[in-house]
Amino acid sequence: MLIHNVFFWLKPDLSETQIAAFRRGLETLKTIEDANSVHIGTPAAVADRPVLERNYNLCLTVLFKDVAAHDRYQAHPIHQSFIENFNELWAKVQVFDAD
């Protein structure tokens, strides 16, 4: 199994409409066949502690059967379309992949 975590820091001047469109764009990634499970979330309302990172806007977590499934997902037209259509809305993206 491979767990693909993507954290998005959106540009601060985005409208609510742009943010909603970005979230809808993330939702399209759920339709990619190789994505076994997809969760889209925001920073959780948990108690502050020194190791907690919560200044991101949205997090995407995708579970894959294996690295080959991850690689097909990366090349998939829906994923490529998401990047093309929404990359100008984020200020920073950080990816953490774990097996």
Side-chain angles (χ1 to χ4, degrees), residues 8 21-30 40 58 60 82:
F8 296 94
F22 186 86
R23 179 116 188 195
R24 284 191 305 276
L26 286 174
E27 293 286 342
T28 67
L29 301 174
K30 291 179 176 182
I40 300 163
L58 288 160
L60 170 72
F82 170 78

Side-chain angles (χ1 to χ4, degrees), residues 32-67:
I32 299 174
E33 304 81 28
D34 282 298
N36 291 343
S37 177
V38 177
H39 176 74
I40 300 163
T42 56
V46 297
D48 277 332
R49 48 195 200 281
V51 297
L52 185 62
E53 175 69 55
R54 67 163 51 161
N55 68 354
Y56 62 92
N57 299 99
L58 288 160
C59 173
L60 170 72
T61 300
V62 184
L63 302 182
F64 299 104
K65 180 177 107 176
D66 52 26
V67 173

